[in-house]
Amino acid sequence: ARKDLFYRAGFSALCGSPLRPGHVPQVTATVVERLDAAGGIDIGRLAMAELAMSPTGFNTHESHPANPWNPAHVPGGSSSGSAVAVAAGYVPLALGTDTGGSIRHPAAMCGLTGLKPTYGRVSRAGAWPLSWSLDHVGPLAHSARDCAIALELLAGHDPHDTTAARPGWQRPALTGDLTGLRVARPGGYYDAALTPTVRAALDTAAAELAAAGATLVDTACPDMATINALAHVTLAVEAATQLRRAFVDAGDKVGRQVRDRLEPGLFYAATDYADALRLRAPQRAAWLAAAMADADAVLIPAISREVPTIAETTQAPPADIAAVIGAVTHTTRGINYLGLPALVAPCGQDAAGLPIAFQLVGRPWDEATILNIADAYQRRTGWHTRRPPSCP
């Protein structure tokens, strides 16, 4: 099944918004065509956050998807329906997109494995663009092995997307042996917001990786304030450009949360946006040098806190809602700006029975390493095999 921004010719694609009533694409997304060609059976489109703009799954125009582990809690977003469909057992695989964490947030909150490939690894042709230099397409599934199978089908050159210029990707042997691999754990920024429960789960996951043969090394963290600011400018300007007509005549067709996040993009100077694009490569190099150093991958939290409730993200004062959203995106949004591959996988549960997840970040084009590390962890643990009690 697919997030409701992947086009299939002759079928609606509404992007979780009333801005596009009755929109029926005349083309099919490249990734959908590739799954079709592999024998996949597409059962339909899935709910999503309005215009892919909420990390919790909030959509002011539609009912809020419920987390299968506890319906009082958010499922994550913006690929909310994608995670719910897999976690609830409707499909073994769903397609999502990730602009600031929108594959990784719902995968982490629903106890799944979610993969955001390197920018340009997977074609985005036929997927509605929110931010053309930050959007990534990837799978949500139960295991790293399933994500590897999916990536092999999805990846590769596409003449309809000039950023997808590389040839296809071949699934590596997933051996379960991490001997010789070095996994970095950067302190500072990524540790600062951790709750005790999430920290304990992350420490236990690190110990499992060490038992599988990996060497854990402590590293530093670069200036994330700069990276996050540049990511914000990029997203705000590109999304506002894509949706600028919505501010002219949309009326109440754009929810308040989405409008508040989009409007700054109408007022940034062109030089700010140019700087954000120009500085991406040096910022990526600085992050890799500091956070990864001489290691093969980086281990950081997927989300720094426990899964929030729907009430926390819809009924609280605006400042409190903003704080929750900030906490949810704390460890993910900068990785999109850097264009690096990242994977989340479940590694525990909190007191309310909601999943906890870790995040692995790799070097550019090295999805193989983070998939192998996650698979080795999943061979030794059973978190990815658990299913919500209400969804046998």
Side-chain angles (χ1 to χ4, degrees), residues 15-388:
C15 303
S17 168
L19 278 178
R20 300 153 52 91
H23 175 65
V24 178
Q26 302 305 304
V27 299
T28 298
T30 296
V31 288
V32 173
E33 290 181 333
R34 289 178 177 173
L35 292 180
D36 289 347
I41 300 170
D42 179 5
I43 69 168
R45 57 195 180 96
L46 298 162
M48 58 179 282
E50 179 187 5
L51 298 171
M53 286 291 286
S54 170
T56 66
F58 174 72
N59 189 320
T60 192
H61 307 290
E62 301 173 2
S63 60
H64 203 306
N67 192 310
W69 290 94
N70 187 324
H73 291 253
V74 301
S78 62
S79 307
S80 50
S82 301
V84 172
V86 177
Y90 298 124
V91 290
L93 169 74
L95 288 174
T97 59
D98 192 312
T99 306
S102 289
I103 289 172
R104 290 163 290 159
H105 298 144
M109 295 187 195
C110 291
L112 304 175
T113 305
L115 175 65
K116 182 195 79 64
T118 306
Y119 181 80
R121 173 69 80 186
V122 176
S123 171
R124 297 167 300 158
W128 178 81
L130 173 64
S131 174
W132 49 86
S133 72
L134 298 177
D135 292 347
H136 299 64
V137 170
L140 297 90
H142 285 294
S143 68
R145 184 171 295 270
D146 285 351
C147 285
I149 293 170
L151 183 60
E152 187 172 33
L153 299 175
L154 298 171
H157 169 69
D158 181 12
H160 302 296
D161 179 356
T162 57
T163 67
R166 290 213 168 199
W169 180 84
Q170 186 172 358
R171 180 170 21 127
L174 302 176
T175 65
D177 183 8
L178 302 184
T179 301
L181 279 177
R182 294 168 61 83
V183 177
R185 291 195 67 182
Y189 176 86
Y190 291 110
D191 281 348
L194 283 179
T195 64
T197 300
V198 175
R199 184 186 299 275
L202 202 66
D203 289 343
T204 301
E208 288 289 353
L209 297 183
T215 299
L216 278 295
V217 294
D218 294 328
T219 57
C221 189
D223 178 14
M224 291 303 300
T226 298
I227 289 174
N228 288 334
L230 294 170
H232 169 73
V233 170
T234 304
L235 172 60
V237 171
E238 292 182 354
T241 301
Q242 168 78 353
L243 294 163
R244 60 186 178 275
R245 291 184 181 178
F247 294 96
V248 177
D249 56 9
D252 61 357
K253 291 182 180 179
V254 179
R256 186 73 256 169
Q257 279 193 26
V258 172
R259 292 183 73 90
D260 288 346
R261 295 184 66 193
L262 285 174
E263 284 180 332
L266 298 172
F267 303 104
Y268 283 117
T271 50
D272 293 333
Y273 178 61
D275 275 343
L277 299 184
R278 176 179 63 86
L279 293 171
R280 180 172 292 171
Q283 289 293 330
R284 178 168 54 241
W287 191 92
L288 289 170
M292 194 173 292
D294 62 349
D296 301 287
V298 172
L299 175 67
I300 55 177
I303 300 171
S304 299
R305 55 155 289 167
E306 291 80 0
V307 178
T309 64
I310 292 175
E312 281 181 277
T313 60
T314 59
Q315 299 172 19
D320 293 344
I321 292 175
V324 172
I325 290 174
V328 167
T329 61
H330 184 78
T331 67
T332 57
R333 59 183 180 268
I335 305 302
N336 288 76
Y337 175 72
L338 302 175
L340 299 172
L343 174 150
V344 302
C347 64
Q349 69 176 36
D350 63 22
L354 275 297
I356 299 170
F358 62 72
Q359 181 176 191
L360 293 167
V361 183
R363 297 187 184 276
W365 311 109
D366 191 16
E367 292 85 1
T369 294
I370 59 175
L371 284 163
N372 189 47
I373 293 172
D375 176 68
Y377 174 81
Q378 290 176 343
R379 287 168 181 257
R380 303 179 62 87
T381 62
W383 295 111
H384 67 293
T385 67
R386 297 172 66 246
R387 302 293 183 265

